């Protein structure tokens, strides 16, 4: 055989049909058995019998040991045509006939089942061993006598590779069994890669293990020897659609069409009823005149040699919906294709008066009917018409979209309605004119790890009983809210990020519901969450922070459960409740806001319990303008102003809370507010425990008020609260201070261990004290001074340092059945012992006794001098008794020009007659 012969001279043609191959098994192109016509037959060494006498001596034998026997096919009946195994193997040095082979696998690297050809022939093992020995003997003899004129073996691998590059896939497979060398070369990556790339246009082998599953895998990720060959085995039954159809003789089953409609019609023929339906849509722009309707389990995948396959394969509709998946498309696949819809400029629009009647909706992709469940993967979808949507899913359909984009649409991105469901994962939905996602009419889709952003409207809009499950989605930078829920819609939003909205984050209104759990909602221009108009969502375990306005805003009779959220760093109130809204706010952390913690106003209500409210710039909780929430078991602490602030007719119940460590008072009540404050602990306030002023009211019952820097309770400026059964103790100032026309009822309280008077009544105040126990104070029990009066009934005053009841000159309280006993009367003993009273009181308490002024020293009523200093330091001076009142001695304090003879160390302190004036909150009445 000449080395310059054509490839066909080396290998008989392998392009016959499968039926011919079965009918002519004795003369099959790859059987290479002797025939009566004395045709050229190739030896394992690549030579004919006539050229090799060593091998020719076996031609007359009936059981020629080197005859290449036809192998039993290992593929399915459908795969036989392209992937037959038609010859046994024999290598160049001759080797025995191979006994075993493995089935083709469904996935790269999957082990094939070992099958023995001889085990199927009915031979017994002893006969096989004898034949094996005989074969080995003949191989040895043939090897010793092989002729040196072996032209096939002398051909270089490069030339054989070139020859094999012209062979079709069926012939390449047949060459596997010719010889060991042919087996190696016919399985080279280069041979199959060239065939594969020219046929499919892919630059990476595509793994297709089963229906609707496709994945491009780099060669290193395949566990088989030849990924290109394996991928071709998986894909070879597919048909092709090209803008310019071509012939491809290297693929036995190659069929090509110029239109997708023709390819689909071809697959509807009977011969494909039991075969895989696979279409490769090659690069180009396809413009079908009518809708592409998918009603079977066809698989359509884009094919291109570009790195971005999707953008190279474009399917564009312009007169009707581009692609429709209808009943029967349960296992259909559609992937790596750009689908878009554009306006048909050749059709004139109807008059404006008729547009409403003739308005049709157009979609790039429509999925409709209950058994429409296609898998749509890595598609770019858009629409340039204003009526319709890029994707519409309806009528119980349940597609699966994965790694798709829906961008720059002139209408809605994805529209899901009429009980439709489906999975939408890793999709990007952005820059659409209307909502990125619409869900309505009992639709219940599942969105996971999608990015929905930069829309000109809402990100996700669920309404009219729409539902949906949104998990780990990133929803941001939409012009209106990130998520809008209305008209009894009830979605579940879990572990999503909703941020940088140009208005709010989540907007629930018009009886909307929904569950929003474990989301991060932040940096929105308005409130992180809006709830209004009878809506009742569940907001649980979210982080709501750094909003440019409030955290959660509930108004217009909104409701909802706000539970276990972390709300912080917002520019306005962490939670705002107004206009008769009535939510449940429970177990939240509301802290470090630039405004207040919780703001309840305009007749707002709500159950606010077991929250921790701390570190806010203004009041921890505001209640105002007719509001009446229930505040129960909260920890409200470390605020930079007031803990709980009732003003302008603020009401409600403050029960069993722990209120402590505020820069101002723990609780302030003013301007007609009338809350009930019961069983709370109020402590550590830098400006007192409870401040009631400017006409405030309120009922304080069974509270513990202690360890405050100033008075435990302040009552002033025409206020009239009720204090009943409270414990007011360990204050660093007085227990209860009432002045500036303060009133009120103090009943059954225990007031003890306070640094100043247990109860101080001053400046025209007139409270009623009944059945109180005032004891162990470091000053007097009750002091009444400066034009005030009081009604004292059945009180017990005992063990107080300066006396039980001290009444200034001109004060005549109403007293009835009070018990005053066991008080220490330290002032009387100091006077008797000749001490200056300043030595007893210093300048931080104010004992009540006679005080004088010295005319000789030109002192005034503002400079009080005790009796012993008059006798010793101002002896012989003209002096005058001013009144019996509370004071400390200015002579002993060293504030007069004359040195006090009764003090060892002179002091320089200003005279103070009353407890320090409380500081009112700087919090305004408006946001």
């Amino acid at each position: 055989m000449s080395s310059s012969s054509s490839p066909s001279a080396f290998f008989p043609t392998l392009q016959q049909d499968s039926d011919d191959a079965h009918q002519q098994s004795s003369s099959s192109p790859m059987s290479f058995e002797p025939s009566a016509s004395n045709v050229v037959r190739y030896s394992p060494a690549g030579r004919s019998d006539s050229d090799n006498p060593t091998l020719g001596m076996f031609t007359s034998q009936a059981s020629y040991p080197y005859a290449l026997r036809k192998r039993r096919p290992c593929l399915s009946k459908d795969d036989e045509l392209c992937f037959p195994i038609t010859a046994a193997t024999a290598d160049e040095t001759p080797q025995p006939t191979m006994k075993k082979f493995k089935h083709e696998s469904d996935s790269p690297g999957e082990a094939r089942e070992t099958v023995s050809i001889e085990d199927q022939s009915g031979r017994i093992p002893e006969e096989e061993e004898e034949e094996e020995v005989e074969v080995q003997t003949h191989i040895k003899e043939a090897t010793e006598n092989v002729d040196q004129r072996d032209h096939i073996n002398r051909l270089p691998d490069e030339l054989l590779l070139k020859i094999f590059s012209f062979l079709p896939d069926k012939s390449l497979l047949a060459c596997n069994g010719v010889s060991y060398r042919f087996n190696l070369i016919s399985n080279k990556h280069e041979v199959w890669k060239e065939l594969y790339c020219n046929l499919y246009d892919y630059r990476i082998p595509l793994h297709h293990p089963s229906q609707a599953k496709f994945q491009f895998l780099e060669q290193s990720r395949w566990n088989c020897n030849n990924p290109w060959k394996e991928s071709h085995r998986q894909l070879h039954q597919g048909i092709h659609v090209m803008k310019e159809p071509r012939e491809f003789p290297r693929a036995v089953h190659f069929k090509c069409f110029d239109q997708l409609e023709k390819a689909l019609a071809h697959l509807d023929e009977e011969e494909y009823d039991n075969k895989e339906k696979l279409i490769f849509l090659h690069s180009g722009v396809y413009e079908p005149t009518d809708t592409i309707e998918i009603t079977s389990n066809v698989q359509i995948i884009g094919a291109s040699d570009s790195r971005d396959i999707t953008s190279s394969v474009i399917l564009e509709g312009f007169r009707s919906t581009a692609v429709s998946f209808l009943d029967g498309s349960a296992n259909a696949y559609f992937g790596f294709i750009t689908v878009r819809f554009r306006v048909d400029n050749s059709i004139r629009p109807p008059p404006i008066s008729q547009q409403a009647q003739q308005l049709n909706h157009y979609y790039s992709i429509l999925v409709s009917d209950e058994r429409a469940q296609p898998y749509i993967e890595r598609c770019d979808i858009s629409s340039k018409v204003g009526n319709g949507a890029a994707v519409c899913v309806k009528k119980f359909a349940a597609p699966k979209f994965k790694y798709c984009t829906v961008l720059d649409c002139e209408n809605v991105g994805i529209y899901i309605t009429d009980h439709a469901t489906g999975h939408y994962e890793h999709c990007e939905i952005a820059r659409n004119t209307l909502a990125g996602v619409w869900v309505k009419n009992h639709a219940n889709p599942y969105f996971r790890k999608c990015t929905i952003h930069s829309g000109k409207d809402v990100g996700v809009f669920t309404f009219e009983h729409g539902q949906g499950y949104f998990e780990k989605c990133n929803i941001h930078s939409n012009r209106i809210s990130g998520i809008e829920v209305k008209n009894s819609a009830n979605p579940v939003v879990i572990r999503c990020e909703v941020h940088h909205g140009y208005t709010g984050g989540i907007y629930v209104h018009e009886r909307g519901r929904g569950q929003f759990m474990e989301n991060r909602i932040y940096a929105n221009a308005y409130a992180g969450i809006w709830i209004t108009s009878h809506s009742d969502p569940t907001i649980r375990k979210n982080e709501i922070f750094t909003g440019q306005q409030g955290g959660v805003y509930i108004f217009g009779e909104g409701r909802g459960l706000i539970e276990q959220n972390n709300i912080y760093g917002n520019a306005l109130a962490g939670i705002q409740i107004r206009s008769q809204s009535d939510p449940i706010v429970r177990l939240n952390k509301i802290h470090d806001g630039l405004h207040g913690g919780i703001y309840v106003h305009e007749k707002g209500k709500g159950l606010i319990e077991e929250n921790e409210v701390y570190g806010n710039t203004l009041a921890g909780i505001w209640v105002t303008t007719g509001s009446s929430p229930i505040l129960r078991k909260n920890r409200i602490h470390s605020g930079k102003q007031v803990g709980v602030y009732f003003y302008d007719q603020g009401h409600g119940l403050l029960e069993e809370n722990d209120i402590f460590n505020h820069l101002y008072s723990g609780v302030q009540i003013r301007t007609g507010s009338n809350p009930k404050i019961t069983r709370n602990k109020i402590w550590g306030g830098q400006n007192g425990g409870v401040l009631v002023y400017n006409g405030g009211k309120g009922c304080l019952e069974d509270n513990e008020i202690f360890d405050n820097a100033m008075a435990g309770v302040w009552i002033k400026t025409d206020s009239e609260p009720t204090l009943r059964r409270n414990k007011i103790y360990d204050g660093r100032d007085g227990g209860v201070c009432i002045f500036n026309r303060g009133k009120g009822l103090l009943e059954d309280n225990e007031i003890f261990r306070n640094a100043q008077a247990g109860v101080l009544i001053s400046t025209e105040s007139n409270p009623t004290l009944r059945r109180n126990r005032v004891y162990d104070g470091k000053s007097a029990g009750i002091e009444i001074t400066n034009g005030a009066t009081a009604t004292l009934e059945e009180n017990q005053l005992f063990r107080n340092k300066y006396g039980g009841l001290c009444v200034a000159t001109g004060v005549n309280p109403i007293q009835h059945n009070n018990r005053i006993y066991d008080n220490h009367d330290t002032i009387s003993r100091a006077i008797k012992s000749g001490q200056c009273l300043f030595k007893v009181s210093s300048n931080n308490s104010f004992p009540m006794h006679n005080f004088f002024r010295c005319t000789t020293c030109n002192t005034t009523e503002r400079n009080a001098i005790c009796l012993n200093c008059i006798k010793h330091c101002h002896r012989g001076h003209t002096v005058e008794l001013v009144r019996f009142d509370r004071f400390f001695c200015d002579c002993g304090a060293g504030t007069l020009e004359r040195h006090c003879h009764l003090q060892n160390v002179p002091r320089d302190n200003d005279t103070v007659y009353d407890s320090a004036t409380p500081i009112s909150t700087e919090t305004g009445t408006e946001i």
Side-chain angles (χ1 to χ4, degrees):
M1 183 180 293
S2 173
S3 62
S4 61
S5 301
S6 66
S8 61
F10 283 103
F11 308 101
T13 178
L14 298 179
Q15 299 182 7
Q16 291 91 339
D17 292 333
S18 176
D19 295 337
D20 297 338
H22 289 300
Q23 293 172 6
Q24 302 174 3
S25 59
S26 63
S27 60
S28 175
M30 295 307 297
S31 65
F32 294 97
E33 295 183 2
S35 66
S37 61
N38 201 20
V39 296
V40 175
R41 178 180 61 80
Y42 292 101
S43 70
R47 301 169 55 190
S48 67
D49 294 342
S50 60
D51 293 335
N52 194 335
T54 305
L55 298 178
M57 63 183 178
F58 299 109
T59 58
S60 60
Q61 299 179 11
S63 60
Y64 176 51
Y66 299 102
L68 302 179
R69 291 169 295 189
K70 182 176 179 180
R71 281 190 171 184
R72 188 168 302 175
C74 63
L75 298 177
S76 66
K77 183 177 180 181
D78 294 337
D79 293 339
E80 273 184 20
L81 294 179
C82 185
F83 284 84
I85 304 297
T86 57
T89 58
D91 63 15
E92 302 133 317
T93 58
Q95 296 294 324
T97 303
M98 297 180 67
K99 298 284 185 169
K100 297 183 179 181
F101 69 97
K102 299 179 181 178
H103 284 295
E104 296 289 346
S105 60
D106 289 335
S107 61
E110 183 179 346
R112 302 175 186 176
E113 181 182 1
T114 302
V115 179
S116 172
I117 296 176
E118 301 300 340
D119 289 345
Q120 306 295 327
S121 64
R123 298 184 181 182
I124 60 176
E126 291 79 0
E127 292 177 348
E128 292 180 0
E129 292 180 1
E130 292 175 1
E131 181 180 319
E132 187 70 22
V133 172
E134 184 180 355
V135 169
Q136 294 291 346
T137 303
H138 288 310
I139 290 172
K140 183 177 181 181
E141 293 175 358
T143 304
E144 292 174 352
N145 296 286
V146 67
D147 195 293
Q148 297 299 319
R149 293 176 295 168
D150 187 350
H151 301 297
I152 297 297
N153 277 345
R154 289 183 179 182
L155 289 176
D157 287 350
E158 292 81 1
L159 182 56
L160 283 179
L161 282 172
K162 185 64 176 177
I163 294 170
F164 279 28
S165 68
F166 292 103
L167 296 181
D169 48 8
K170 182 178 178 182
S171 299
L172 285 174
L173 290 170
C175 289
N176 290 343
V178 173
S179 69
Y180 179 70
R181 189 179 182 206
F182 273 35
N183 182 282
L184 289 178
I185 295 177
S186 65
N187 283 296
K188 288 281 189 180
H189 283 214
E190 299 94 313
V191 174
W192 287 97
K193 181 178 179 180
E194 182 180 357
L195 183 151
Y196 186 92
C197 294
N198 290 333
L199 176 59
Y200 302 106
D201 290 340
Y202 297 137
R203 292 296 174 256
I204 298 175
L206 177 62
H207 179 38
H208 175 46
S210 59
Q211 175 76 20
K213 291 186 178 180
F214 297 89
Q215 184 180 10
F216 288 99
L217 296 176
E218 295 289 347
Q219 297 182 54
S220 59
R221 297 180 59 189
W222 293 68
N223 293 327
C224 62
N225 292 328
N226 193 330
W228 304 99
K229 177 181 176 182
E230 174 63 19
S231 180
H232 179 60
R233 185 191 69 79
Q234 297 172 358
L235 304 175
H236 72 277
Q237 290 189 355
I239 63 176
H240 299 259
V241 177
M242 301 181 180
K243 293 293 291 183
E244 297 180 358
R246 67 172 187 261
E247 294 184 358
F248 193 77
R250 295 198 63 196
V252 172
H253 291 287
F254 182 78
K255 294 180 181 178
C256 187
F257 300 89
D258 62 348
Q259 293 180 4
L260 182 57
E261 301 95 310
K262 294 179 180 179
L264 289 169
H266 177 75
L267 291 179
D268 288 337
E269 297 176 0
E270 292 184 1
E271 64 175 294
Y272 284 94
D273 287 347
N274 297 318
K275 292 184 180 180
E276 182 181 28
K277 297 180 179 181
L278 175 59
I279 297 176
F280 294 97
L281 190 63
H282 289 260
S283 299
V285 178
Y286 299 85
E287 298 181 340
T289 55
D290 294 318
T291 300
I292 302 294
E293 293 187 352
I294 309 297
T295 57
S296 66
N297 60 348
V298 64
Q299 303 163 97
I300 304 174
I301 184 170
S304 172
D305 58 1
S306 171
R307 294 181 65 88
D308 185 2
I309 297 173
T310 303
S311 63
S312 301
V313 183
I314 300 172
L315 186 63
E316 185 172 64
F318 58 96
R319 292 183 179 176
S320 59
T321 295
V323 183
S324 292
F325 293 88
L326 304 176
D327 191 10
S329 59
N331 295 314
Y333 175 88
F334 193 84
F336 295 89
I337 298 172
T338 294
V339 185
R340 64 195 187 197
F341 192 93
R342 63 174 173 83
V343 178
D344 185 2
N345 296 321
S346 64
I347 300 178
R348 297 180 60 183
I352 296 176
S353 60
Q354 301 178 12
Q355 284 185 5
Q357 300 175 356
Q358 300 182 13
L359 188 62
N360 295 319
H361 292 94
Y362 300 104
Y363 313 105
S364 297
I365 294 179
L366 170 65
V367 187
S368 180
D369 299 324
E370 185 172 2
R371 290 189 296 172
Q373 300 173 6
Y375 181 18
I376 300 172
E377 179 183 30
R378 297 186 186 275
C379 291
D380 294 343
I381 309 166
S382 64
S383 174
K384 296 298 181 183
V385 294
N387 49 320
V391 177
C392 177
V393 184
K394 62 181 182 178
K395 295 182 181 179
F396 298 93
K400 183 175 182 180
F401 284 77
K402 195 169 184 180
Y403 296 107
C404 294
T405 65
V406 183
L407 308 177
D408 300 309
C409 301
E410 296 295 331
N411 42 47
V412 177
I414 300 178
Y415 176 33
I416 308 167
T417 184
D418 297 338
H419 299 270
T421 59
H423 284 63
Y424 308 79
E425 298 185 32
H426 300 280
C427 296
E428 182 182 8
I429 304 162
R431 301 190 298 274
N432 299 293
T433 300
L434 299 181
V437 177
W438 268 15
V439 182
K440 65 176 288 189
N441 195 18
H442 303 282
N444 190 16
Y446 173 47
F447 280 79
R448 184 172 184 270
K449 293 186 177 180
C450 294
T451 302
I452 305 168
H453 68 97
S454 306
K456 300 173 184 177
D457 199 86
V458 181
V460 177
F461 184 26
T462 59
F463 61 109
E464 293 180 9
H465 301 278
Q467 299 182 57
Y469 191 96
F470 299 83
E471 181 181 13
K472 295 184 179 179
C473 295
N474 188 1
I475 304 170
H476 66 91
S477 305
N478 295 285
R479 190 181 69 86
I480 307 183
S481 53
I483 299 173
E484 183 175 349
V485 182
K486 67 179 288 188
N487 298 133
S488 302
N490 188 20
V492 175
V493 181
I494 182 168
R495 290 189 288 277
C496 295
E497 295 205 4
V498 184
H499 59 101
H500 289 94
Y502 294 124
T503 55
I506 297 172
Y507 181 28
V508 188
H509 61 118
E510 295 183 26
R511 301 185 184 277
R513 298 176 62 196
Q515 299 181 60
F516 303 87
M517 299 176 290
E518 301 180 33
N519 304 288
R520 299 178 78 242
I521 303 165
Y522 60 95
N524 295 287
Y526 294 167
I529 298 177
W530 287 349
I531 303 170
T532 184
S533 50
H534 304 282
S535 297
D536 191 15
T538 297
I539 314 294
R540 181 181 288 125
K541 295 183 180 180
N542 303 282
E543 270 193 274
I544 306 169
F545 60 99
T546 61
Q548 297 179 32
Q549 288 194 8
V552 180
Y553 181 26
I554 309 164
F555 63 103
E557 301 183 48
R559 298 178 63 85
L561 172 62
I562 318 298
E563 185 174 57
Q564 294 180 279
N565 301 285
N566 189 8
I567 304 172
Y568 61 93
N570 297 286
L572 297 181
I575 297 177
Q576 184 176 168
I577 304 169
R578 62 174 290 195
S579 52
Q580 299 182 347
S581 296
D582 191 14
I584 297 173
V585 180
R586 179 187 294 142
L587 296 168
N588 302 283
K589 287 187 176 181
I590 305 165
H591 60 100
D592 297 308
L594 304 180
H595 202 264
I598 300 175
Y599 182 29
V600 189
H601 62 120
E602 295 182 19
K603 298 184 180 179
K605 300 178 183 178
L607 172 61
I608 302 171
E609 63 180 1
E610 299 184 70
N611 302 283
E612 185 170 9
V613 183
Y614 62 95
N616 295 287
T617 301
L618 301 181
I621 298 177
W622 297 357
V623 182
T624 182
T625 53
S627 300
S628 54
I630 297 173
L631 303 156
R632 180 182 291 133
K633 295 183 179 179
N634 302 285
R635 296 180 77 242
I636 306 164
H637 64 94
S638 308
K640 299 173 184 177
Q641 283 197 10
V642 181
V644 182
Y645 183 27
F646 297 90
Y647 69 98
D648 292 350
Q649 305 296 322
H651 309 304
L653 172 63
L654 186 65
E655 183 178 40
E656 298 183 31
N657 300 281
D658 198 1
I659 304 169
F660 60 96
N661 289 350
H662 291 90
L663 188 61
Y664 293 178
S665 303
V667 177
Q668 285 193 15
I669 305 169
R670 72 177 183 95
T671 53
S673 298
N674 189 22
K676 183 175 183 179
I677 301 174
T678 180
R679 295 193 297 278
N680 302 282
K681 290 185 177 180
I682 303 170
W683 55 280
Q686 299 303 305
N687 190 37
V690 178
L691 170 60
V692 187
Y693 66 110
N694 290 356
K697 297 181 181 179
C699 178
L700 284 72
E701 293 183 343
D702 302 300
N703 301 285
E704 286 191 52
I705 304 170
F706 62 95
D707 195 28
N708 294 285
M710 302 181 74
V713 178
W714 293 96
I715 303 171
K716 68 171 195 172
T717 53
D718 302 302
S719 298
E720 192 173 358
T722 297
L723 279 69
R724 184 178 291 120
R725 297 187 302 277
N726 301 285
K727 290 185 178 180
I728 305 169
Y729 61 96
D730 290 338
R732 285 169 269 171
D733 200 286
V736 179
C737 294
I738 308 169
F739 56 100
N740 291 348
R741 302 178 305 281
K743 299 179 183 178
L745 170 64
L746 279 68
E747 189 173 60
D748 297 312
N749 301 285
E750 287 198 29
I751 304 170
F752 57 97
R753 291 203 307 264
N754 295 287
Q756 297 291 341
V759 178
L760 172 63
I761 305 169
S762 180
T763 53
E764 303 178 9
S765 298
N766 187 13
T768 297
L769 281 70
R770 183 180 298 127
R771 295 189 301 277
N772 301 286
R773 300 173 76 240
V774 185
Y775 58 95
D776 290 337
K778 297 180 176 59
S779 185
I782 297 176
E783 296 185 4
I784 307 175
T785 183
N786 202 10
T789 187
T791 298
L792 308 176
E793 297 179 352
E794 302 181 17
N795 301 285
Q796 297 184 44
L797 313 176
F798 57 96
R799 293 203 304 268
N800 296 289
K801 183 177 180 180
Y802 293 163
L805 176 62
C806 297
V807 178
T809 301
V811 173
N812 296 299
I814 299 172
Q815 301 187 53
H816 181 69
N817 292 336
N818 299 290
R819 294 186 62 205
I820 304 172
Y821 59 95
D822 292 339
N823 294 287
H824 301 299
D825 293 328
T826 304
I827 299 301
S828 299
R829 292 199 302 269
I831 293 296
K832 290 180 181 179
S833 64
Q835 296 179 15
C836 174
L837 294 186
F838 186 81
K839 192 172 183 179
V840 176
S841 66
S842 72
N843 61 346
N844 46 30
S845 65
F846 308 93
M848 186 170 285
H849 204 268
N850 291 321
F851 76 87
F852 300 81
R853 69 184 184 89
C854 179
T855 305
T856 304
C857 296
N858 199 26
T859 64
T860 66
E861 292 185 3
R862 299 290 301 173
N863 304 118
I865 304 173
C866 71
L867 178 60
N868 288 334
C869 285
I870 289 294
K871 291 180 179 179
H872 294 84
C873 305
H874 298 269
R875 182 183 300 171
H877 292 190
T878 303
V879 297
E880 179 183 356
L881 175 65
V882 178
R883 62 182 179 273
F884 187 86
D885 212 334
R886 58 193 307 267
F887 70 99
F888 68 78
C889 181
D890 285 286
C891 180
T895 60
L896 303 180
E897 294 182 0
R898 180 177 291 274
H899 176 65
C900 180
H901 301 303
L902 300 179
Q903 294 292 336
N904 295 327
V905 179
R907 299 173 183 264
D908 187 7
N909 300 98
D910 294 332
T911 302
V912 181
Y913 287 90
D914 287 320
S915 296
T917 303
I919 303 173
S920 299
T921 179
E922 295 177 3
T923 303
T925 60
E926 300 293 336
I927 293 182

